Amino acid sequence: MSYQLKILHVNLTTGEILTETIQEKISKAFLGSRGINAKLLWDNVKPGIDPLGEDNVLIFGAGALSGTPAPCSGRTTVTCKSPATGLYLKTNVGGHWGAELRFAGFDHLVVYGKSPKPVYILIKDSRVEIKDASDLWGKDVRETTETLKSKENIPDLQVACIGPAGENLVKMAAIMCSIYNAAARGGAGAVMGSKNLKAVAVKGSGAIKYARPEEFGKVAVETREAVYNDSGAAGLHRFGTSGSTLPVNEIKAYPTKNFQRGHFEGAEKLSGNYLEDSGLLKRKVGCNGCVISCHRYNEVTAGKYTGSYAGGPEYETLSALGAGCGVDEVEAVLKANELCNILGMDTISVGAVIQWAMECFEKGVISKEEAGMDLSWGNGEAVVQLTRQIAYREGLGAVLAEGVKKAAEKIGQDSWKWAIEVKGLEQSRVETRSSNAYALAFAVNPRGADHLHTECYAEFGLSPEARAVIKEITGDEKYANPYLIEKRAEIVRWHEDCYAATDCLGFCAFSSTALYGVTPERMAKLYSAAFGIDMSEEELMEAGRRIVTLEKCFNVREGATRELDTAPYRLMHEELPERKGEGAILTKDKLDRMLDEYYELHNWDKATSWPKEETLKALGLENVAVELKKMNRLP
Ligand code: SF4
């Protein structure tokens, strides 16, 4: 007998609450979480709607294996139309919220409409209520979470909520789970705020059902061992992602001062070693079912930021709020990180807009009077102050809260040339002048320039497992070389499919595309045993492709063309000063060659980047083809 996924639909305009069981053929085609979310978004959002209007929907999808002993499978995908880009958005979050939703008997939650006043949704097993949140509005993430736990008298209540940034419709507002885990990128927190939805609190007491428990248990144990024994696992546990700071700085690919440089003199203080040695790191934890536990907490116990306590910091945060702003005062970075956590914001985008403002200051485009503060590189206090201002849309923060693309349009002059974004999303902290598969993956990512859609870490060939993956994709280990153009399309496509399947089942991408224990083969076996729906490795990867293609089509329906698949101006026009030759620049010509190969490989039209009718039909997306044809958006 197969196990079927269940959707909870909540309409905040009408108060209607419905449940629905997903048909087996839809489950098999879209797997779960991100895939089912993408289908729900396509079916429920009309093109051209305002992302912050009541016609947008906010979809939570627990990983299809969340709550099971499959390792690192506790992640959740949140999907909506992005207010940052006006395009497709999926954002992924760890912690325990998704598993709890499954314990309560649901796999997906779709929120429609807009409540006339602040509310929260309470899910206690099959009992679902929309409750008044007037007393929570204005509270930060920590206060909201603690208030809800005591108000509902459930100490282990799992809370996904927004902070003031989400309420203020800040375009980089995040949804925070268990306080310190962020569904960060693309402004999903603002969509939640636009619905007057402060929180979704969940408590479940059920057990996860398996179609073939014995078979599932066997593969789960084998997969746990494979992840645990990967050669990169110990380092990831010890340092978390902050372990990347020094090696990336060493190869002169550490984005510094708004991507003007690739090396930061103060990197040591932003490293995993320093956090450990200085005692700032307090404890390590894992998301639900994780065998790596790369998450950590930090606390500042001396100096002007004493008392700051938060999750992380991740490599991305240290780079965005630290090196990117020329700041080596790690305590200031930790304070800004804490503010992002409790006010509910994406640390990558917050750091990106602040360093852009610092460059505007350096170049005389924003004065001290206009900024209301000294925005010199390295001013940690300014980073802390601006972070708060962005959340509350105060002073210069009101301009930055719209994201770097809109801020550059407003401030004018040449400032767009140093706005490091694609499609309106601030680029995450990968130097894509020095890594061609990442450059291509960032250009075609439907949510903008970001690594959490298609992590191509294997192209660096840093471990035997990574080199084996590259060999499997391309036929030769020699392609584990980030400066090559050849085979980048194949590498990106494989990672797209694998990453989509990873997200759908709730696996952490670290376990499949940075460590390599969660293979497509193991994912297919686990899915088959859990749901009783037989799935081969090829079918699983094809489902990933179907999902990636549907996400692309969402953007096509919104009017996206090839011009949007690009890279930030700076990265295509300015060489990294510390490098000459290899890895110094990503020219437009180089990117165009990779894009041509990528579209060809997918059987998408090279001129428009649109998927062809035959491609959509081959993937079973006939309804999508029909709709795009009516809109004249089939090549
Ligand atoms: S490796 Fe880190 S991010 Fe991934 S599931 Fe484990 S704790 Fe969460």
Side-chain angles (χ1 to χ4, degrees):
M1 199 193 102
S2 66
Y3 170 70
Q4 290 167 305
L5 298 169
K6 214 162 161 191
I7 312 179
L8 173 64
H9 300 271
V10 176
N11 189 319
L12 294 178
T13 305
T14 62
E16 208 175 355
I17 297 171
L18 294 169
T19 58
E20 179 194 356
T21 302
I22 300 176
Q23 296 164 10
E24 187 175 315
K25 69 170 193 218
I26 302 290
S27 269
K28 188 163 183 181
F30 296 96
L31 301 176
S33 191
R34 172 175 158 187
I36 302 282
N37 280 15
K39 171 150 178 54
L40 288 164
L41 189 75
W42 175 271
D43 290 346
N44 287 290
V45 165
K46 292 205 165 46
I49 59 131
D50 175 5
L52 296 178
E54 66 179 292
D55 292 332
N56 202 357
V57 295
L58 185 65
I59 310 165
F60 296 79
L65 298 181
S66 288
T68 75
C72 315
S73 63
R75 299 190 65 95
T76 300
T77 297
V78 181
T79 307
C80 58
K81 182 173 177 181
S82 166
T85 64
L87 298 169
Y88 169 83
L89 173 65
K90 72 103 191 172
T91 174
N92 188 270
V93 60
H96 301 265
W97 189 92
E100 199 70 29
L101 186 70
R102 298 199 75 214
F103 297 146
F106 300 105
D107 300 282
H108 294 260
L109 164 68
V110 190
V111 184
Y112 306 81
K114 176 182 181 173
S115 165
K117 57 175 190 173
V119 291
Y120 66 98
I121 297 171
L122 179 67
I123 303 168
K124 279 206 283 181
D125 292 319
S126 59
R127 187 167 167 186
V128 182
E129 294 170 87
I130 302 170
K131 299 180 85 168
D132 181 37
S134 306
D135 58 329
L136 298 172
W137 208 250
K139 285 195 193 310
D140 71 29
V141 169
R142 207 145 46 197
E143 293 165 332
T144 302
T145 304
E146 294 312 326
T147 305
L148 275 172
K149 284 181 180 183
S150 73
K151 195 168 156 178
E152 297 296 339
N153 198 19
I154 306 174
D156 55 353
L157 187 68
Q158 288 299 325
V159 177
C161 70
I162 55 169
E167 296 173 13
N168 295 328
L169 309 184
V170 169
K171 299 285 168 60
M172 55 207 71
I175 299 172
M176 305 300 295
C177 293
S178 328
I179 306 176
Y180 301 112
N181 299 278
R185 309 241 60 202
V191 174
M192 193 153 157
S194 74
K195 297 187 172 303
N196 274 328
L197 177 61
K198 182 67 178 173
V200 182
V202 188
K203 177 65 194 154
S205 59
I208 306 288
K209 295 185 194 114
Y210 304 87
R212 306 198 288 259
E214 220 171 285
E215 184 184 323
F216 184 87
K218 236 165 97 183
V219 189
V221 168
E222 175 195 309
T223 311
R224 285 175 88 83
E225 279 169 13
V227 173
Y228 192 77
N229 292 325
D230 185 282
S231 61
L236 188 57
H237 169 71
R238 178 165 173 203
F239 295 118
T241 51
S242 65
S244 298
T245 299
L246 294 179
V248 174
N249 197 44
E250 180 81 27
I251 61 164
K252 316 259 186 309
Y254 190 42
T256 299
K257 294 188 179 171
N258 199 29
F259 285 80
Q260 291 188 81
R261 306 186 66 91
H263 187 263
F264 184 48
E265 290 73 21
E268 180 66 40
K269 286 187 74 182
L270 304 175
S271 70
N273 302 65
Y274 183 82
L275 288 161
E276 198 175 71
D277 296 346
S278 61
L280 288 162
L281 193 63
K282 293 303 170 201
R283 64 191 177 101
K284 296 169 187 167
V285 292
C287 304
N288 195 278
C290 183
V291 292
I292 305 293
S293 296
C294 81
H295 271 314
R296 57 234 21 258
Y297 291 99
N298 66 83
E299 186 177 9
V300 181
T301 52
K304 64 181 166 188
Y305 300 115
T306 297
S308 169
Y309 180 83
E314 303 293 339
Y315 159 84
E316 295 281 336
T317 303
L318 290 159
S319 172
L321 297 164
C325 301
V327 172
D328 66 357
E329 187 192 358
V330 70
E331 293 80 3
V333 174
L334 296 181
K335 181 65 193 175
N337 174 49
E338 183 199 41
L339 288 174
C340 286
N341 280 189
I342 65 174
L343 302 177
M345 290 190 291
D346 171 16
T347 59
I348 298 174
S349 286
V350 168
V353 291
I354 293 175
Q355 57 199 257
W356 169 85
M358 285 178 153
E359 188 165 347
C360 289
F361 182 79
E362 179 189 36
K363 294 190 156 84
V365 177
I366 294 176
S367 68
K368 190 171 175 182
E369 291 65 42
E370 284 162 334
M373 67 186 87
D374 173 11
L375 281 183
S376 299
W377 296 115
N379 186 347
E381 202 170 313
V383 172
V384 172
Q385 214 178 317
L386 262 183
T387 299
R388 188 186 296 279
Q389 284 190 1
I390 291 168
Y392 289 100
R393 289 184 173 271
E394 290 167 355
L396 182 61
V399 178
L400 302 183
E402 286 299 302
V404 77
K405 186 166 187 244
K406 297 233 171 68
E409 282 164 13
K410 189 170 171 79
I411 297 294
Q413 300 188 42
D414 274 348
S415 67
W416 65 272
K417 290 185 178 171
W418 56 88
I420 312 298
E421 55 80 24
V422 174
K423 299 185 177 83
L425 186 77
E426 295 76 19
Q427 171 150 331
S428 55
R429 312 300 298 172
V430 181
E431 180 46 84
T432 45
R433 281 171 286 200
S434 309
S435 42
N436 286 338
Y438 273 102
L440 175 60
F442 279 31
V444 298
N445 185 338
R447 79 173 185 179
D450 179 77
H451 61 301
L452 296 173
H453 183 80
T454 313
E455 182 80 73
C456 297
Y457 193 60
E459 78 163 330
F460 288 96
L462 295 176
S463 69
E465 294 91 342
R467 291 190 290 278
V469 165
I470 294 295
K471 187 170 177 192
E472 187 192 323
I473 301 167
T474 65
D476 200 320
E477 270 192 19
K478 74 176 182 195
Y479 294 110
N481 178 344
Y483 311 127
L484 294 179
I485 288 182
E486 292 74 26
K487 304 288 182 193
R488 295 311 104 174
E490 284 91 334
I491 292 170
V492 169
R493 178 180 151 131
W494 185 92
H495 282 87
E496 282 179 340
D497 299 351
C498 181
Y499 205 118
T502 299
D503 279 343
C504 288
L505 303 197
F507 283 114
C508 170
F510 288 142
S511 65
S512 66
T513 57
L515 314 177
Y516 302 94
V518 174
T519 60
E521 187 190 353
R522 291 194 178 108
M523 283 196 265
K525 282 184 182 166
L526 287 165
Y527 180 91
S528 304
F531 293 97
I533 301 171
D534 286 330
M535 165 93 60
S536 68
E537 179 184 344
E538 292 70 32
E539 285 173 319
L540 178 110
M541 290 294 266
E542 189 185 69
R545 174 105 317 266
R546 184 176 298 115
I547 294 157
V548 168
T549 307
L550 179 59
E551 293 167 337
K552 167 74 178 176
C553 288
F554 183 89
N555 284 358
V556 173
R557 193 170 66 170
E558 293 291 335
T561 58
R562 178 171 172 148
E563 283 65 48
L564 286 188
D565 290 352
T566 188
Y569 177 88
R570 163 162 289 156
L571 309 191
M572 292 195 289
H573 293 86
E574 292 176 26
E575 284 200 1
L576 263 175
E578 294 90 350
R579 302 183 74 116
K580 291 287 166 234
E582 275 190 336
I585 194 157
L586 169 74
T587 59
K588 178 146 181 8
D589 176 55
K590 220 196 255 187
L591 181 61
D592 274 338
R593 280 170 56 198
M594 292 193 289
L595 284 170
D596 282 348
E597 283 180 21
Y598 172 89
Y599 299 136
E600 231 167 83
L601 189 65
H602 287 67
N603 200 21
W604 296 357
D605 174 57
K606 280 200 272 185
T608 57
S609 84
W610 297 345
K612 295 178 185 169
E613 188 169 9
E614 70 213 49
T615 310
L616 297 177
K617 286 184 173 165
L619 287 168
L621 295 171
E622 289 86 355
N623 62 322
V624 175
V626 169
E627 201 171 329
L628 291 178
K629 196 168 199 170
K630 274 194 219 147
M631 299 175 79
N632 275 331
R633 298 229 168 95
L634 277 185

